[in-house]
Amino acid sequence: MSITEFLSSIVPFTQDELNDIQSHFKKELVPKNQILVHQGDICKTLYFMEQGMGRSFYTNENGKEITQWFFGIGKFMTSADSFFQQTPSLYNLEVLVDSVVFSISKEDIDQLFAKYHKMEKLGRLVTTEMLTKIVNKLNAIQFQTAKERYDYMLAEFPQIAYQVPLGHIASYLGMSQETLSRIRK
Amino acid sequence: MSITEFLSSIVPFTQDELNDIQSHFKKELVPKNQILVHQGDICKTLYFMEQGMGRSFYTNENGKEITQWFFGIGKFMTSADSFFQQTPSLYNLEVLVDSVVFSISKEDIDQLFAKYHKMEKLGRLVTTEMLTKIVNKLNAIQFQTAKERYDYMLAEFPQIAYQVPLGHIASYLGMSQETLSRIRK
DNA sequence: GATTTCCTTTGACCTATGTCAAAAAATGAC
DNA sequence: GTCATTTTTTGACATAGGTCAAAGGAAATC
């Protein structure tokens, strides 16, 4: 899914608007395992995942990596806090397979928000959608058994569930890798 | 905190704009324990909590009430999904003490979003803030001990923590009331 | 101010899931 | 194809926090 297709699917931009908006995005090929943002950095770029997948994760006190979110095709990938409030990111952003992303700087997207009311609306709608998804995850984590949480994962990220290391999924779901391995049987 | 103060604190509206916007909100006095929205209803109204506090909660398969969020003074209170996507609410919205709220309908706020770019921006910023808070809760729930989660609660809702029944807080934090009671000692 | 109802605490016991360690399987490098 | 590395599975054991039941306290109602 191209970025213009994505934008148009949410708000009806004119062709001129789309051209202008698109011109602020830069296409990048990112190789597997590359870290786009490091924990502690201020995230200055928003990424749109055209092809591939990524995750956000942090390293806890015991040096263990905890996956916080997965990003599939057609999603914006960023450390939302850090990007929008320009505060140090709690997370690393990592690309999990060779990927194609479109990137845009904070200044540029703020300019687009200011220039186009429609773009601001898109920002609001995308954020609302993210909010809904996080609430769903929260419910899964808070009140479901390990088995049910895995089912939630399969429903939410069907394409990702079978392509990333088990440990990433386990930490995303808030359980140990051993438990997830036992569940999957 | 009045609604106009709140709006102005986020985006610099002119006095005329504020007057117009405010005219779409209706002040309501809501008595303690009133349910504003029932689980399963489509949430047609957004509430701004001027005075008082509320919560969202649902009743699970075993008939137990699970608190999902608390709403303090100066916050918007709604079942975000239900209101913005006009889908059945997963939650009840309940006022916990006698409260003063400003309410606005979905149609009216959509009109305001459409009329004022600044209002759309406000919507985006408020949603982003909510997103950040939910992510914080998620982290607390997912990776912290019961004790640490209670500390998170005290930090996030200091004024609320001592004013609502223990059971509401326990379910909000994803633990049993007995566990919370033991922790508090 | 007595009664009823609701809320909180305490105790005893149980279980889902964590941790640690090692084996087995899969993947990647040469 | 072989060796090295990474990932997944398995087993044994530990524990945080759950459940159930009952007793105390607080607070609303008459």
Side-chain angles (χ1 to χ4, degrees), chain B residues 31-164:
Chain B
K32 180 173 176 174
N33 296 330
Q34 184 161 323
I35 304 281
L36 295 173
V37 175
H38 289 87
Q39 201 165 341
D41 289 356
I42 291 176
C43 188
K44 296 187 156 51
T45 311
L46 177 70
Y47 302 92
F48 176 83
M49 181 66 67
E50 192 194 54
Q51 205 40 248
M53 70 180 86
R55 66 162 179 154
S56 57
F57 72 97
Y58 66 92
T59 306
N60 72 8
E61 325 79 63
N62 312 317
K64 212 184 135 200
E65 290 184 0
I66 309 286
T67 296
Q68 189 247 352
W69 203 258
F70 291 107
F71 301 91
I73 291 171
K75 303 291 172 194
F76 283 111
M77 178 165 169
T78 184
S79 177
D81 271 44
S82 176
F83 183 73
F84 287 111
Q85 335 274 2
Q86 292 288 288
T87 52
S89 175
L90 301 174
Y91 309 106
N92 303 278
L93 284 189
E94 179 188 31
V95 150
L96 294 170
V97 300
D98 292 346
S99 300
V100 181
V101 303
F102 285 81
S103 66
I104 186 167
S105 69
K106 176 76 164 58
E107 295 83 56
D108 278 16
I109 199 147
D110 276 346
Q111 241 177 274
L112 292 177
F113 281 147
K115 184 168 179 185
Y116 298 115
H117 185 153
K118 282 186 217 170
M119 191 70 189
E120 191 88 76
K121 179 174 184 181
L122 183 136
R124 181 172 66 79
L125 295 178
V126 168
T127 310
T128 303
E129 190 208 334
M130 192 69 202
L131 184 64
T132 301
K133 296 211 179 244
I134 298 250
V135 168
N136 288 342
K137 177 179 173 185
L138 185 55
N139 285 333
I141 295 282
Q142 188 165 3
F143 298 112
Q144 299 186 346
T145 61
K147 169 86 178 63
E148 290 168 326
R149 274 179 271 166
Y150 184 58
D151 292 340
Y152 148 81
M153 169 80 197
L154 292 178
E156 182 66 54
F157 298 107
Q159 54 334 343
I160 291 176
Y162 295 107
Q163 293 180 255
V164 306

Side-chain angles (χ1 to χ4, degrees), chain A residues 58 66-69 80-81 84-85 90-91 110 112-124 127-132 134-139 141-143 170-175, chain B residues 58 66-69 80-81 84-85 90-91 110 112-124 127-132 134-139 141-143 170-175:
Chain A
Y58 66 92
I66 309 286
T67 297
Q68 189 246 353
W69 203 259
D81 270 45
F84 287 111
Q85 335 274 4
L90 302 174
Y91 309 105
D110 276 347
L112 292 176
F113 281 148
K115 184 168 179 186
Y116 298 114
H117 185 155
K118 283 187 218 170
M119 191 69 190
E120 190 88 75
K121 178 173 185 181
L122 182 136
R124 180 171 66 78
T127 310
T128 303
E129 190 208 334
M130 192 69 202
L131 184 64
T132 301
I134 298 248
V135 168
N136 287 342
K137 177 180 174 184
L138 184 55
N139 285 333
I141 295 282
Q142 190 165 3
F143 298 112
S171 68
Y172 172 78
L173 294 176
M175 66 182 73
Chain B
Y58 66 92
I66 309 286
T67 296
Q68 189 247 352
W69 203 258
D81 271 44
F84 287 111
Q85 335 274 2
L90 301 174
Y91 309 106
D110 276 346
L112 292 177
F113 281 147
K115 184 168 179 185
Y116 298 115
H117 185 153
K118 282 186 217 170
M119 191 70 189
E120 191 88 76
K121 179 174 184 181
L122 183 136
R124 181 172 66 79
T127 310
T128 303
E129 190 208 334
M130 192 69 202
L131 184 64
T132 301
I134 298 250
V135 168
N136 288 342
K137 177 179 173 185
L138 185 55
N139 285 333
I141 295 282
Q142 188 165 3
F143 298 112
S171 69
Y172 172 78
L173 295 176
M175 66 182 75

